[in-house]
Short mmCIF file of all heavy atoms in Angstrom, two decimals:
data_model
loop_
_atom_site.label_atom_id
_atom_site.label_comp_id
_atom_site.label_asym_id
_atom_site.label_seq_id
_atom_site.Cartn_x
_atom_site.Cartn_y
_atom_site.Cartn_z
N ALA A 53 10.67 0.25 -8.36
CA ALA A 53 9.93 -0.38 -7.26
C ALA A 53 10.84 -0.65 -6.06
O ALA A 53 10.38 -0.68 -4.93
CB ALA A 53 9.25 -1.66 -7.72
N GLY A 54 12.10 -0.86 -6.32
CA GLY A 54 13.07 -1.05 -5.24
C GLY A 54 13.47 -2.50 -5.05
O GLY A 54 12.83 -3.42 -5.55
N GLU A 55 14.54 -2.67 -4.31
CA GLU A 55 15.10 -4.01 -4.10
C GLU A 55 14.15 -4.98 -3.41
O GLU A 55 14.00 -6.11 -3.87
CB GLU A 55 16.41 -3.89 -3.32
CG GLU A 55 17.18 -5.18 -3.27
CD GLU A 55 18.54 -5.02 -2.62
OE1 GLU A 55 19.15 -3.94 -2.75
OE2 GLU A 55 18.98 -5.98 -1.98
N PRO A 56 13.45 -4.59 -2.32
CA PRO A 56 12.53 -5.55 -1.69
C PRO A 56 11.43 -6.02 -2.65
O PRO A 56 11.09 -7.20 -2.68
CB PRO A 56 11.94 -4.77 -0.52
CG PRO A 56 12.93 -3.69 -0.23
CD PRO A 56 13.54 -3.34 -1.56
N THR A 57 10.89 -5.10 -3.45
CA THR A 57 9.85 -5.47 -4.41
C THR A 57 10.43 -6.34 -5.51
O THR A 57 9.80 -7.32 -5.92
CB THR A 57 9.21 -4.21 -5.02
OG1 THR A 57 8.66 -3.42 -3.96
CG2 THR A 57 8.11 -4.56 -6.00
N ASN A 58 11.62 -6.03 -5.95
CA ASN A 58 12.28 -6.81 -6.98
C ASN A 58 12.54 -8.24 -6.49
O ASN A 58 12.34 -9.21 -7.23
CB ASN A 58 13.59 -6.13 -7.39
CG ASN A 58 14.00 -6.47 -8.80
OD1 ASN A 58 13.70 -7.52 -9.30
ND2 ASN A 58 14.71 -5.56 -9.43
N GLU A 59 12.97 -8.37 -5.25
CA GLU A 59 13.20 -9.70 -4.68
C GLU A 59 11.89 -10.48 -4.58
O GLU A 59 11.85 -11.68 -4.83
CB GLU A 59 13.88 -9.58 -3.32
CG GLU A 59 15.32 -9.14 -3.40
CD GLU A 59 15.94 -8.86 -2.04
OE1 GLU A 59 15.25 -9.01 -1.01
OE2 GLU A 59 17.12 -8.49 -2.01
N THR A 60 10.83 -9.81 -4.21
CA THR A 60 9.50 -10.44 -4.15
C THR A 60 9.09 -10.89 -5.54
O THR A 60 8.60 -12.00 -5.72
CB THR A 60 8.46 -9.47 -3.57
OG1 THR A 60 8.83 -9.13 -2.24
CG2 THR A 60 7.07 -10.07 -3.58
N PHE A 61 9.28 -10.02 -6.51
CA PHE A 61 8.91 -10.33 -7.90
C PHE A 61 9.59 -11.61 -8.38
O PHE A 61 8.96 -12.44 -9.04
CB PHE A 61 9.29 -9.16 -8.81
CG PHE A 61 9.01 -9.42 -10.26
CD1 PHE A 61 7.73 -9.34 -10.76
CD2 PHE A 61 10.04 -9.75 -11.13
CE1 PHE A 61 7.46 -9.58 -12.09
CE2 PHE A 61 9.80 -10.00 -12.46
CZ PHE A 61 8.50 -9.91 -12.95
N ASP A 62 10.86 -11.77 -8.03
CA ASP A 62 11.60 -12.95 -8.48
C ASP A 62 11.06 -14.25 -7.91
O ASP A 62 11.34 -15.32 -8.43
CB ASP A 62 13.08 -12.81 -8.11
CG ASP A 62 13.80 -11.77 -8.95
OD1 ASP A 62 13.27 -11.38 -10.02
OD2 ASP A 62 14.89 -11.32 -8.55
N THR A 63 10.26 -14.18 -6.85
CA THR A 63 9.71 -15.39 -6.23
C THR A 63 8.26 -15.67 -6.65
O THR A 63 7.70 -16.68 -6.27
CB THR A 63 9.74 -15.28 -4.70
OG1 THR A 63 8.86 -14.24 -4.28
CG2 THR A 63 11.15 -15.05 -4.20
N LEU A 64 7.66 -14.78 -7.41
CA LEU A 64 6.25 -14.93 -7.79
C LEU A 64 6.08 -15.99 -8.87
O LEU A 64 6.96 -16.18 -9.71
CB LEU A 64 5.68 -13.60 -8.28
CG LEU A 64 5.63 -12.48 -7.24
CD1 LEU A 64 5.13 -11.19 -7.88
CD2 LEU A 64 4.76 -12.86 -6.07
N PRO A 65 4.91 -16.66 -8.88
CA PRO A 65 4.64 -17.64 -9.93
C PRO A 65 4.62 -16.95 -11.30
O PRO A 65 4.25 -15.78 -11.42
CB PRO A 65 3.25 -18.18 -9.60
CG PRO A 65 2.88 -17.62 -8.28
CD PRO A 65 3.81 -16.52 -7.95
N ASP A 66 4.98 -17.66 -12.31
CA ASP A 66 4.97 -17.16 -13.70
C ASP A 66 5.95 -16.03 -13.94
O ASP A 66 5.77 -15.23 -14.86
CB ASP A 66 3.56 -16.73 -14.13
CG ASP A 66 2.57 -17.88 -14.08
OD1 ASP A 66 2.98 -19.01 -14.38
OD2 ASP A 66 1.41 -17.63 -13.73
N THR A 67 6.96 -15.89 -13.09
CA THR A 67 8.02 -14.92 -13.33
C THR A 67 9.35 -15.63 -13.22
O THR A 67 9.50 -16.56 -12.43
CB THR A 67 8.00 -13.75 -12.32
OG1 THR A 67 8.23 -14.25 -11.02
CG2 THR A 67 6.69 -12.99 -12.39
N THR A 68 10.28 -15.23 -14.03
CA THR A 68 11.60 -15.82 -14.00
C THR A 68 12.60 -14.73 -13.62
O THR A 68 12.60 -13.67 -14.24
CB THR A 68 11.98 -16.41 -15.39
OG1 THR A 68 10.95 -17.32 -15.77
CG2 THR A 68 13.31 -17.11 -15.35
N PRO A 69 13.41 -14.97 -12.57
CA PRO A 69 14.39 -13.95 -12.18
C PRO A 69 15.26 -13.52 -13.35
O PRO A 69 15.81 -14.36 -14.05
CB PRO A 69 15.22 -14.64 -11.09
CG PRO A 69 14.34 -15.73 -10.57
CD PRO A 69 13.50 -16.17 -11.75
N GLY A 70 15.34 -12.22 -13.56
CA GLY A 70 16.21 -11.67 -14.58
C GLY A 70 15.72 -11.85 -16.01
O GLY A 70 16.41 -11.51 -16.95
N GLU A 71 14.54 -12.38 -16.19
CA GLU A 71 14.02 -12.62 -17.54
C GLU A 71 13.61 -11.30 -18.18
O GLU A 71 12.64 -10.67 -17.78
CB GLU A 71 12.82 -13.57 -17.48
CG GLU A 71 12.26 -13.93 -18.84
CD GLU A 71 11.06 -14.85 -18.71
OE1 GLU A 71 11.17 -15.87 -18.03
OE2 GLU A 71 10.03 -14.54 -19.30
N SER A 72 14.34 -10.86 -19.18
CA SER A 72 14.06 -9.56 -19.79
C SER A 72 13.02 -9.65 -20.91
O SER A 72 12.54 -8.65 -21.39
CB SER A 72 15.34 -8.94 -20.33
OG SER A 72 15.87 -9.77 -21.34
N GLU A 73 12.68 -10.85 -21.32
CA GLU A 73 11.70 -11.02 -22.40
C GLU A 73 10.26 -10.87 -21.89
O GLU A 73 9.35 -10.71 -22.67
CB GLU A 73 11.87 -12.38 -23.08
CG GLU A 73 13.21 -12.57 -23.74
CD GLU A 73 13.47 -11.53 -24.82
OE1 GLU A 73 12.58 -11.25 -25.63
OE2 GLU A 73 14.59 -10.99 -24.85
N GLU A 74 10.09 -10.98 -20.60
CA GLU A 74 8.75 -10.87 -20.04
C GLU A 74 8.20 -9.47 -20.28
O GLU A 74 8.89 -8.48 -20.11
CB GLU A 74 8.80 -11.16 -18.53
CG GLU A 74 7.44 -11.21 -17.91
CD GLU A 74 7.52 -11.56 -16.44
OE1 GLU A 74 8.59 -11.98 -16.00
OE2 GLU A 74 6.52 -11.39 -15.77
N THR A 75 6.96 -9.38 -20.65
CA THR A 75 6.38 -8.08 -20.97
C THR A 75 6.08 -7.27 -19.71
O THR A 75 5.94 -7.82 -18.62
CB THR A 75 5.08 -8.23 -21.78
OG1 THR A 75 4.11 -8.86 -20.94
CG2 THR A 75 5.30 -9.01 -23.06
N PHE A 76 5.95 -5.99 -19.92
CA PHE A 76 5.60 -5.07 -18.85
C PHE A 76 4.25 -5.46 -18.25
O PHE A 76 4.10 -5.51 -17.03
CB PHE A 76 5.56 -3.65 -19.41
CG PHE A 76 4.99 -2.63 -18.46
CD1 PHE A 76 5.71 -2.25 -17.34
CD2 PHE A 76 3.76 -2.05 -18.69
CE1 PHE A 76 5.20 -1.31 -16.45
CE2 PHE A 76 3.25 -1.11 -17.82
CZ PHE A 76 3.97 -0.74 -16.69
N ALA A 77 3.26 -5.74 -19.08
CA ALA A 77 1.92 -6.06 -18.60
C ALA A 77 1.92 -7.30 -17.69
O ALA A 77 1.25 -7.32 -16.67
CB ALA A 77 0.97 -6.27 -19.77
N LYS A 78 2.70 -8.30 -18.06
CA LYS A 78 2.77 -9.52 -17.27
C LYS A 78 3.44 -9.26 -15.91
O LYS A 78 2.97 -9.73 -14.87
CB LYS A 78 3.54 -10.61 -18.03
CG LYS A 78 3.50 -11.96 -17.38
CD LYS A 78 4.18 -13.00 -18.26
CE LYS A 78 4.21 -14.35 -17.59
NZ LYS A 78 4.93 -15.35 -18.39
N ALA A 79 4.51 -8.48 -15.92
CA ALA A 79 5.19 -8.14 -14.67
C ALA A 79 4.28 -7.30 -13.78
O ALA A 79 4.19 -7.52 -12.57
CB ALA A 79 6.49 -7.38 -14.97
N LEU A 80 3.62 -6.34 -14.39
CA LEU A 80 2.71 -5.47 -13.65
C LEU A 80 1.58 -6.28 -13.02
O LEU A 80 1.23 -6.07 -11.86
CB LEU A 80 2.15 -4.41 -14.60
CG LEU A 80 1.29 -3.34 -14.00
CD1 LEU A 80 2.09 -2.51 -13.02
CD2 LEU A 80 0.74 -2.45 -15.10
N GLN A 81 1.02 -7.20 -13.76
CA GLN A 81 -0.08 -8.03 -13.25
C GLN A 81 0.39 -8.91 -12.10
O GLN A 81 -0.31 -9.05 -11.09
CB GLN A 81 -0.68 -8.89 -14.37
CG GLN A 81 -1.96 -9.58 -13.97
CD GLN A 81 -3.05 -8.62 -13.57
OE1 GLN A 81 -3.36 -7.68 -14.30
NE2 GLN A 81 -3.63 -8.80 -12.41
N ALA A 82 1.57 -9.48 -12.21
CA ALA A 82 2.10 -10.33 -11.15
C ALA A 82 2.28 -9.54 -9.85
O ALA A 82 1.89 -10.00 -8.77
CB ALA A 82 3.43 -10.95 -11.58
N LEU A 83 2.84 -8.34 -9.95
CA LEU A 83 3.03 -7.50 -8.75
C LEU A 83 1.70 -7.01 -8.19
O LEU A 83 1.50 -6.99 -6.98
CB LEU A 83 3.95 -6.33 -9.07
CG LEU A 83 5.42 -6.68 -9.22
CD1 LEU A 83 6.22 -5.51 -9.77
CD2 LEU A 83 6.00 -7.14 -7.89
N THR A 84 0.79 -6.63 -9.06
CA THR A 84 -0.52 -6.16 -8.61
C THR A 84 -1.27 -7.28 -7.91
O THR A 84 -1.88 -7.06 -6.86
CB THR A 84 -1.33 -5.60 -9.80
OG1 THR A 84 -0.61 -4.50 -10.35
CG2 THR A 84 -2.70 -5.13 -9.36
N ASN A 85 -1.22 -8.48 -8.44
CA ASN A 85 -1.87 -9.62 -7.77
C ASN A 85 -1.26 -9.87 -6.39
O ASN A 85 -1.97 -10.23 -5.45
CB ASN A 85 -1.75 -10.88 -8.62
CG ASN A 85 -2.62 -10.83 -9.85
OD1 ASN A 85 -3.53 -10.02 -9.97
ND2 ASN A 85 -2.33 -11.70 -10.80
N TYR A 86 0.03 -9.69 -6.28
CA TYR A 86 0.70 -9.91 -5.00
C TYR A 86 0.35 -8.82 -3.99
O TYR A 86 0.05 -9.12 -2.83
CB TYR A 86 2.21 -9.97 -5.20
CG TYR A 86 2.96 -10.17 -3.90
CD1 TYR A 86 3.06 -11.44 -3.34
CD2 TYR A 86 3.53 -9.09 -3.23
CE1 TYR A 86 3.71 -11.63 -2.13
CE2 TYR A 86 4.19 -9.27 -2.03
CZ TYR A 86 4.28 -10.55 -1.49
OH TYR A 86 4.92 -10.73 -0.28
N PHE A 87 0.40 -7.56 -4.40
CA PHE A 87 0.19 -6.45 -3.47
C PHE A 87 -1.28 -6.14 -3.20
O PHE A 87 -1.59 -5.42 -2.25
CB PHE A 87 0.90 -5.19 -3.96
CG PHE A 87 2.39 -5.27 -3.86
CD1 PHE A 87 3.19 -5.01 -4.95
CD2 PHE A 87 3.01 -5.60 -2.66
CE1 PHE A 87 4.57 -5.09 -4.86
CE2 PHE A 87 4.38 -5.68 -2.54
CZ PHE A 87 5.16 -5.42 -3.66
N THR A 88 -2.17 -6.66 -4.00
CA THR A 88 -3.60 -6.42 -3.77
C THR A 88 -4.34 -7.75 -3.68
O THR A 88 -5.09 -8.11 -4.58
CB THR A 88 -4.21 -5.55 -4.89
OG1 THR A 88 -3.98 -6.18 -6.14
CG2 THR A 88 -3.65 -4.16 -4.90
N PRO A 89 -4.13 -8.45 -2.59
CA PRO A 89 -4.83 -9.72 -2.43
C PRO A 89 -6.33 -9.50 -2.34
O PRO A 89 -6.80 -8.39 -2.14
CB PRO A 89 -4.25 -10.28 -1.12
CG PRO A 89 -3.82 -9.08 -0.38
CD PRO A 89 -3.39 -8.08 -1.41
N ARG A 90 -7.05 -10.57 -2.45
CA ARG A 90 -8.50 -10.47 -2.32
C ARG A 90 -8.86 -9.79 -1.01
O ARG A 90 -8.32 -10.11 0.04
CB ARG A 90 -9.13 -11.85 -2.34
CG ARG A 90 -9.20 -12.44 -3.70
CD ARG A 90 -10.09 -13.63 -3.60
NE ARG A 90 -10.90 -13.70 -4.79
CZ ARG A 90 -11.36 -14.82 -5.27
NH1 ARG A 90 -11.12 -15.93 -4.65
NH2 ARG A 90 -12.07 -14.81 -6.36
N GLN A 91 -9.79 -8.87 -1.12
CA GLN A 91 -10.21 -8.12 0.05
C GLN A 91 -11.44 -8.78 0.68
O GLN A 91 -12.34 -9.22 -0.03
CB GLN A 91 -10.57 -6.68 -0.35
CG GLN A 91 -9.43 -5.91 -0.96
CD GLN A 91 -8.34 -5.61 0.04
OE1 GLN A 91 -8.61 -5.31 1.18
NE2 GLN A 91 -7.11 -5.70 -0.40
N ASN A 92 -11.46 -8.82 1.97
CA ASN A 92 -12.64 -9.24 2.70
C ASN A 92 -13.44 -7.97 2.94
O ASN A 92 -13.16 -7.20 3.86
CB ASN A 92 -12.24 -9.91 4.01
CG ASN A 92 -13.43 -10.33 4.84
OD1 ASN A 92 -14.54 -9.86 4.64
ND2 ASN A 92 -13.19 -11.22 5.79
N ARG A 93 -14.41 -7.71 2.10
CA ARG A 93 -15.15 -6.44 2.13
C ARG A 93 -15.78 -6.18 3.49
O ARG A 93 -15.73 -5.06 4.00
CB ARG A 93 -16.22 -6.43 1.04
CG ARG A 93 -16.93 -5.10 0.94
CD ARG A 93 -17.82 -5.04 -0.29
NE ARG A 93 -18.49 -3.77 -0.31
CZ ARG A 93 -19.79 -3.63 -0.10
NH1 ARG A 93 -20.55 -4.66 0.11
NH2 ARG A 93 -20.34 -2.43 -0.12
N GLU A 94 -16.34 -7.17 4.10
CA GLU A 94 -16.97 -6.99 5.41
C GLU A 94 -15.95 -6.56 6.46
O GLU A 94 -16.22 -5.69 7.29
CB GLU A 94 -17.69 -8.27 5.86
CG GLU A 94 -18.87 -8.63 4.98
CD GLU A 94 -19.90 -7.52 4.89
OE1 GLU A 94 -20.21 -6.87 5.91
OE2 GLU A 94 -20.38 -7.26 3.77
N TYR A 95 -14.76 -7.15 6.40
CA TYR A 95 -13.72 -6.76 7.35
C TYR A 95 -13.24 -5.34 7.08
O TYR A 95 -13.00 -4.57 8.01
CB TYR A 95 -12.54 -7.73 7.29
CG TYR A 95 -11.43 -7.34 8.23
CD1 TYR A 95 -11.58 -7.52 9.61
CD2 TYR A 95 -10.26 -6.75 7.76
CE1 TYR A 95 -10.59 -7.12 10.49
CE2 TYR A 95 -9.27 -6.36 8.64
CZ TYR A 95 -9.43 -6.55 9.99
OH TYR A 95 -8.45 -6.15 10.87
N GLU A 96 -13.10 -4.98 5.81
CA GLU A 96 -12.68 -3.62 5.45
C GLU A 96 -13.69 -2.59 5.96
O GLU A 96 -13.31 -1.53 6.45
CB GLU A 96 -12.49 -3.48 3.93
CG GLU A 96 -11.44 -4.39 3.34
CD GLU A 96 -10.05 -4.15 3.88
OE1 GLU A 96 -9.72 -2.99 4.19
OE2 GLU A 96 -9.28 -5.11 3.99
N ILE A 97 -14.97 -2.89 5.84
CA ILE A 97 -16.01 -2.00 6.36
C ILE A 97 -15.93 -1.92 7.88
O ILE A 97 -16.05 -0.84 8.46
CB ILE A 97 -17.41 -2.46 5.89
CG1 ILE A 97 -17.54 -2.26 4.38
CG2 ILE A 97 -18.52 -1.72 6.64
CD1 ILE A 97 -18.78 -2.87 3.76
N TYR A 98 -15.67 -3.05 8.52
CA TYR A 98 -15.51 -3.07 9.98
C TYR A 98 -14.36 -2.15 10.40
O TYR A 98 -14.50 -1.35 11.33
CB TYR A 98 -15.26 -4.50 10.46
CG TYR A 98 -14.81 -4.59 11.89
CD1 TYR A 98 -15.73 -4.48 12.93
CD2 TYR A 98 -13.47 -4.77 12.21
CE1 TYR A 98 -15.33 -4.55 14.25
CE2 TYR A 98 -13.05 -4.83 13.52
CZ TYR A 98 -13.99 -4.73 14.54
OH TYR A 98 -13.58 -4.78 15.85
N VAL A 99 -13.22 -2.25 9.72
CA VAL A 99 -12.06 -1.42 10.03
C VAL A 99 -12.42 0.05 9.84
O VAL A 99 -12.09 0.89 10.68
CB VAL A 99 -10.83 -1.81 9.16
CG1 VAL A 99 -9.72 -0.80 9.28
CG2 VAL A 99 -10.34 -3.20 9.54
N PHE A 100 -13.12 0.38 8.76
CA PHE A 100 -13.54 1.75 8.49
C PHE A 100 -14.43 2.25 9.63
O PHE A 100 -14.25 3.35 10.15
CB PHE A 100 -14.29 1.83 7.15
CG PHE A 100 -14.82 3.19 6.84
CD1 PHE A 100 -14.02 4.14 6.22
CD2 PHE A 100 -16.13 3.54 7.16
CE1 PHE A 100 -14.51 5.40 5.92
CE2 PHE A 100 -16.63 4.80 6.88
CZ PHE A 100 -15.82 5.73 6.26
N ARG A 101 -15.39 1.44 10.03
CA ARG A 101 -16.35 1.86 11.07
C ARG A 101 -15.71 1.97 12.46
O ARG A 101 -16.24 2.65 13.32
CB ARG A 101 -17.52 0.90 11.12
CG ARG A 101 -18.28 0.79 9.81
CD ARG A 101 -19.72 1.16 9.96
NE ARG A 101 -20.52 0.81 8.81
CZ ARG A 101 -20.64 1.55 7.73
NH1 ARG A 101 -19.99 2.67 7.62
NH2 ARG A 101 -21.41 1.17 6.73
N GLN A 102 -14.58 1.33 12.66
CA GLN A 102 -13.88 1.42 13.95
C GLN A 102 -12.95 2.63 14.03
O GLN A 102 -12.48 2.98 15.11
CB GLN A 102 -13.07 0.15 14.22
CG GLN A 102 -13.91 -1.11 14.37
CD GLN A 102 -14.91 -0.98 15.50
OE1 GLN A 102 -14.56 -0.65 16.61
NE2 GLN A 102 -16.18 -1.22 15.19
N ALA A 103 -12.70 3.28 12.92
CA ALA A 103 -11.77 4.41 12.89
C ALA A 103 -12.30 5.57 13.72
O ALA A 103 -13.46 5.95 13.62
CB ALA A 103 -11.54 4.86 11.45
N LYS A 104 -11.42 6.11 14.54
CA LYS A 104 -11.74 7.27 15.37
C LYS A 104 -10.63 8.30 15.20
O LYS A 104 -9.49 7.95 14.95
CB LYS A 104 -11.84 6.87 16.83
CG LYS A 104 -13.00 5.93 17.14
CD LYS A 104 -13.11 5.67 18.61
CE LYS A 104 -14.20 4.75 19.02
NZ LYS A 104 -15.19 4.34 18.11
N GLN A 105 -10.98 9.56 15.37
CA GLN A 105 -9.99 10.61 15.27
C GLN A 105 -9.01 10.50 16.44
O GLN A 105 -9.42 10.41 17.60
CB GLN A 105 -10.66 11.99 15.27
CG GLN A 105 -9.69 13.12 15.08
CD GLN A 105 -10.38 14.49 15.09
OE1 GLN A 105 -11.54 14.61 15.41
NE2 GLN A 105 -9.62 15.51 14.73
N GLU A 106 -7.73 10.47 16.13
CA GLU A 106 -6.68 10.41 17.15
C GLU A 106 -6.59 11.75 17.86
O GLU A 106 -6.94 12.78 17.30
CB GLU A 106 -5.34 10.06 16.51
CG GLU A 106 -5.33 8.76 15.73
CD GLU A 106 -5.46 7.53 16.61
OE1 GLU A 106 -4.98 7.58 17.75
OE2 GLU A 106 -6.05 6.55 16.15
N SER A 107 -6.08 11.76 19.08
CA SER A 107 -6.00 12.99 19.87
C SER A 107 -5.12 14.06 19.22
O SER A 107 -5.38 15.24 19.35
CB SER A 107 -5.50 12.69 21.28
OG SER A 107 -4.22 12.12 21.22
N ASN A 108 -4.09 13.66 18.50
CA ASN A 108 -3.19 14.62 17.87
C ASN A 108 -3.44 14.75 16.36
O ASN A 108 -2.63 15.33 15.65
CB ASN A 108 -1.74 14.23 18.12
CG ASN A 108 -1.42 12.87 17.54
OD1 ASN A 108 -2.31 12.10 17.21
ND2 ASN A 108 -0.14 12.57 17.42
N GLU A 109 -4.56 14.26 15.88
CA GLU A 109 -4.87 14.23 14.45
C GLU A 109 -5.83 15.36 14.07
O GLU A 109 -6.87 15.52 14.69
CB GLU A 109 -5.50 12.87 14.11
CG GLU A 109 -5.76 12.61 12.67
CD GLU A 109 -6.29 11.20 12.43
OE1 GLU A 109 -7.09 10.71 13.25
OE2 GLU A 109 -5.91 10.60 11.42
N SER A 110 -5.48 16.13 13.06
CA SER A 110 -6.38 17.20 12.60
C SER A 110 -7.57 16.58 11.90
O SER A 110 -7.53 15.41 11.47
CB SER A 110 -5.65 18.13 11.65
OG SER A 110 -5.39 17.48 10.43
N ILE A 111 -8.61 17.36 11.75
CA ILE A 111 -9.81 16.84 11.08
C ILE A 111 -9.52 16.52 9.61
O ILE A 111 -10.03 15.54 9.07
CB ILE A 111 -11.01 17.81 11.23
CG1 ILE A 111 -12.32 17.12 10.83
CG2 ILE A 111 -10.82 19.07 10.44
CD1 ILE A 111 -12.75 16.05 11.78
N SER A 112 -8.67 17.31 8.97
CA SER A 112 -8.35 17.03 7.56
C SER A 112 -7.49 15.76 7.44
O SER A 112 -7.66 14.99 6.49
CB SER A 112 -7.69 18.21 6.88
OG SER A 112 -6.55 18.61 7.56
N ALA A 113 -6.61 15.51 8.40
CA ALA A 113 -5.82 14.28 8.38
C ALA A 113 -6.73 13.07 8.63
O ALA A 113 -6.56 12.02 8.00
CB ALA A 113 -4.72 14.34 9.43
N PHE A 114 -7.69 13.23 9.54
CA PHE A 114 -8.66 12.16 9.81
C PHE A 114 -9.50 11.89 8.56
O PHE A 114 -9.73 10.74 8.19
CB PHE A 114 -9.56 12.56 10.99
CG PHE A 114 -10.58 11.53 11.38
CD1 PHE A 114 -10.26 10.19 11.51
CD2 PHE A 114 -11.89 11.92 11.64
CE1 PHE A 114 -11.20 9.25 11.89
CE2 PHE A 114 -12.83 11.00 12.03
CZ PHE A 114 -12.50 9.66 12.14
#
Side-chain angles (χ1 to χ4, degrees):
E55 190 174 327
T57 302
N58 206 331
E59 289 173 0
T60 298
F61 177 78
D62 288 343
T63 66
L64 296 176
D66 299 325
T67 63
T68 305
E71 183 181 309
S72 63
E73 297 300 316
E74 186 177 348
T75 66
F76 171 71
K78 188 175 177 183
L80 186 63
Q81 190 60 51
L83 286 170
T84 299
N85 288 345
Y86 179 80
F87 289 127
T88 57
R90 284 192 141 152
Q91 300 291 322
N92 178 342
R93 185 170 178 249
E94 294 304 318
Y95 179 73
E96 299 298 327
I97 291 171
Y98 169 78
V99 169
F100 177 86
R101 300 239 192 276
Q102 296 302 308
K104 294 185 181 350
Q105 184 180 10
E106 302 291 328
S107 61
N108 61 344
E109 186 176 38
S110 70
I111 194 69
S112 56
F114 181 46

